Amino acid sequence: MCMRRWAAIGAWYKKGFLSLSLLLSLLLSACSSHSAPTQIPSIAPPVSVPKGQTWAPVKLMSPDTQAAMMVRQMSLAEKLGQLIIIQFTHMTYTPDQAALVVPFQPGGVILYGYAMGTAPQVRTLLADAQRDSQIPMFTFTDQEGGVVDRLAGYSGPHMGAPAIAATGNPQVATQQGARAARDLQSLGFNADLAPDVDVALVNGPDQWGRTFGKDPQTVTTYAGAWLEGLQSQQVVGCLKHFPGLGAATTDAHTSLPVIGRTRTQFEATELAPYRALIATGQVGMVMSTDVLVPALDPNMPAELSRPIITGILRDELHFNGVAITDALYMAGITEKWSFAQAAVLAIEAGNDMIMAPWSPSLIRGILAGLQVALTKGDLSTAQLDASVQRILALKLRYGLLPRLPVQGSRWMFNTEAESGG
């Protein structure tokens, strides 16, 4: 119940029912014991503000600082839950669906088309699940527009990447990203597995109609503008499919693609949009995928590869956001590993979140495997904590969790002269 108390106390503070000093004392004690729930005080009368004066904003903790403080208060089970993105396979929040949320407290949930009926149904499904989440979940779908348009039935067609780039106007991309975000929010989604930043080197079976262009500069320009529009409306975007599917001639849903391009070629083309966009500081999430690139790692698919996820994405491209996997049940993975085995390998490789188990037994298998990895030293506590901190920090940046004040800061009165009026 530790994280539920954090959320409840934060909500009371945002409503103005708690003083700053009381807030801090409650937050610091909220998780010191797992026995009795924190008592929320009765509502206090609002403090009157002298005429002609206003409250100055209180100084808030940085998302990273607050996330680190939260991680120190979390149990192992709470930490491991944040690594998992579940998927719902039914349109209503049935006991079977609740069994994925309540005991495991996952970090996210994704809906595909078969779990999306009417707009009220989607809203209700996500809202019901969030009510059972002590830490609000990332709520995902993969809304790209064009050939992958989950929202067309709710708010009309959305332009796809090729059509956007064909306009020659990056502002169109920004507008389309912002529109996608508003339409996603209207259904209860707060995160989107888009934009696609693959560079279309071949007319591949899985990327047709989904890419912004055939060269890295075009992809960077239009994907970056689309991402800016999406995130301007407080929906988290996710670059995909790292390290790049633009030269794949095999669909990973049916078999593992193998790309024989050199490291130099990858550096110049497939990795270029990631490098440029990560450097802007606007990228909070990257999705790796099922592809074997022998020049980068001759043995492991990208999303299970430590040389690729930690070596390239983290160490070379300096990405410190949330790294997530593609679906670990596609044929490119399941031909060799069970879901639980692949999940553990993905986390060990440096990913923060895995997609997307749909049953309690799958989740239990993943959690058991991660605990074994911790015991054996294949996964360190420091790496686990770093992943959870990144996840929580991103949730804080996008308002899924309330930001807390710096300890010792206090509300101040501003006169008109002080505020420059």
Side-chain angles (χ1 to χ4, degrees):
M1 298 300 290
C2 169
M3 291 297 107
R4 186 181 297 279
R5 282 177 249 159
W6 272 86
I9 295 169
W12 278 66
Y13 171 73
K14 290 178 71 177
K15 292 178 181 179
F17 297 157
L18 300 182
S19 68
L20 181 59
S21 59
L22 182 56
L23 168 81
L24 289 170
S25 64
L26 285 171
L27 287 172
L28 291 173
S29 64
C31 297
S32 60
S33 171
H34 290 272
S35 57
T38 301
Q39 296 298 310
I40 301 295
S42 58
I43 297 175
V47 177
S48 60
V49 180
K51 186 177 181 180
Q53 297 179 332
T54 59
W55 289 116
V58 71
K59 184 179 181 181
L60 299 177
M61 291 184 190
S62 72
D64 289 331
T65 299
Q66 183 174 331
M69 185 172 71
M70 294 177 69
V71 169
R72 290 195 294 271
Q73 302 281 2
M74 294 171 72
S75 68
L76 176 60
E78 288 170 333
K79 293 175 185 178
L80 293 177
Q82 287 299 298
L83 309 186
I84 296 175
I85 301 168
I86 60 171
Q87 67 168 302
F88 284 156
T89 55
H90 305 293
M91 291 187 181
T92 56
Y93 193 58
T94 63
D96 286 344
Q97 308 266 65
L100 301 175
V101 178
V102 176
F104 304 113
Q105 294 297 302
V109 59
I110 186 167
L111 301 190
Y112 296 110
Y114 44 77
M116 298 172 64
T118 66
Q121 169 265 318
V122 174
R123 293 188 199 105
T124 300
L125 174 58
L126 292 175
D128 288 348
Q130 287 286 40
R131 272 194 292 272
D132 277 343
S133 299
Q134 296 178 22
I135 297 177
M137 292 184 289
F138 287 125
T139 49
F140 293 94
T141 192
D142 50 348
Q143 171 62 28
E144 300 175 17
V147 298
V148 183
D149 194 347
R150 303 285 183 198
L151 306 185
Y154 306 103
S155 49
H158 298 73
M159 292 177 68
I164 291 172
T167 68
N169 184 358
Q171 290 186 353
V172 174
T174 304
Q175 293 163 0
Q176 286 295 309
R179 182 199 167 196
R182 291 190 293 269
D183 293 342
L184 286 162
Q185 287 176 323
S186 73
L187 296 174
F189 294 105
N190 57 42
D192 187 14
L193 298 183
D196 188 322
V197 295
D198 295 313
V199 181
L201 299 174
V202 300
N203 191 18
D206 191 36
Q207 296 304 298
W208 179 86
R210 300 173 63 188
T211 60
F212 286 99
K214 298 180 180 180
D215 65 272
Q217 184 56 57
T218 299
V219 170
T220 300
T221 298
Y222 287 92
W226 194 93
L227 179 68
E228 181 181 354
L230 182 85
Q231 296 187 156
S232 72
Q233 305 300 308
Q234 288 298 100
V235 171
V236 183
C238 179
L239 304 189
K240 65 183 185 184
H241 303 82
F242 186 81
L245 282 178
T249 57
T250 302
D251 187 339
H253 294 81
T254 60
S255 186
L256 181 67
V258 179
I259 296 179
R261 287 166 57 78
T262 67
R263 175 64 183 260
T264 300
Q265 289 174 318
F266 253 84
E267 289 282 353
T269 304
E270 285 95 328
L271 296 179
Y274 291 98
R275 181 180 295 105
L277 292 173
I278 289 169
T280 69
Q282 66 177 321
V283 179
M285 190 175 288
V286 169
M287 186 180 81
S288 57
T289 197
D290 315 319
V291 60
L292 183 67
V293 185
L296 306 183
D297 184 337
N299 302 310
M300 300 294 283
E303 61 190 347
L304 309 186
S305 166
R306 190 166 184 85
I308 292 176
I309 303 302
T310 296
I312 297 176
L313 182 61
R314 299 288 191 202
D315 297 342
E316 295 183 23
L317 301 185
H318 307 295
F319 178 63
N320 195 37
V322 175
I324 72 173
T325 72
D326 209 330
L328 292 177
Y329 47 78
M330 293 199 290
I333 296 296
T334 58
E335 288 174 347
K336 189 169 182 179
W337 296 279
S338 71
F339 199 114
Q341 289 171 329
V344 173
L345 289 170
I347 297 298
E348 290 176 354
N351 287 285
D352 302 307
M353 304 183 82
I354 58 96
M355 290 201 301
W358 63 91
S359 73
S361 62
L362 280 176
I363 298 174
R364 283 192 292 269
I366 294 166
L367 297 179
L370 290 171
Q371 289 174 333
V372 169
L374 285 166
T375 301
K376 293 171 59 179
D378 295 332
L379 175 64
S380 70
T381 300
Q383 181 180 334
L384 172 62
D385 287 354
S387 286
V388 178
Q389 182 175 333
R390 284 190 285 262
I391 294 164
L392 296 179
L394 190 59
K395 291 183 177 184
L396 285 160
R397 288 189 179 95
Y398 281 83
L400 276 68
L401 287 164
R403 296 276 297 281
L404 304 180
V406 173
Q407 189 171 3
S409 63
R410 58 194 178 92
W411 291 103
M412 301 290 290
F413 284 123
N414 277 346
T415 63
E416 289 185 2
E418 289 172 335
S419 61

